[in-house]
Amino acid sequence: MILKILAFGITKDIFGASEKEIEINEGANVNALKELLEKDFPELKKLKSYFIAVDDEYAENHQVLTVSNEIAIIPPVSGG
């Protein structure tokens, strides 16, 4: 299946775009997506942390993804 991934902040710079399409196996979960993204974009591993949001909610690693999901990569946030 092809997933459309939205990128924000530093992750947009890492991807070189604000959106990326990723091909992944049917029934894949968030953890599998993270592994694939880190393989294709090793710079992600250098981030202190990042989150995956699915349909506007932070996702757990075991959550199964579908082609209809809206998926976003949320970079680390700093504040003061």
Side-chain angles (χ1 to χ4, degrees):
M1 73 179 157
I2 304 290
L3 299 176
K4 184 170 82 170
I5 311 294
L6 305 175
F8 300 95
I10 188 79
T11 60
K12 185 166 61 171
D13 295 336
I14 291 170
F15 288 174
S18 60
E19 289 184 11
K20 241 350 169 192
E21 288 190 346
I22 302 291
E23 186 171 356
I24 196 166
N25 293 331
E26 291 284 335
N29 62 20
V30 170
N31 192 58
L33 176 61
K34 283 182 177 179
E35 289 174 1
L36 181 63
L37 289 172
E38 289 175 2
K39 181 178 156 229
D40 290 350
F41 303 96
E43 300 84 13
L44 281 175
K45 290 190 236 180
K46 296 177 184 176
L47 297 179
K48 186 174 180 181
S49 66
Y50 68 93
F51 299 98
I52 305 281
V54 176
D55 299 331
D56 297 324
E57 299 280 335
Y58 286 114
E60 299 290 330
N61 282 336
H62 64 275
Q63 183 172 344
V64 175
L65 301 169
T66 67
V67 73
S68 65
N69 289 134
E70 180 181 79
I71 301 168
I73 308 299
I74 310 298
V77 179
S78 62

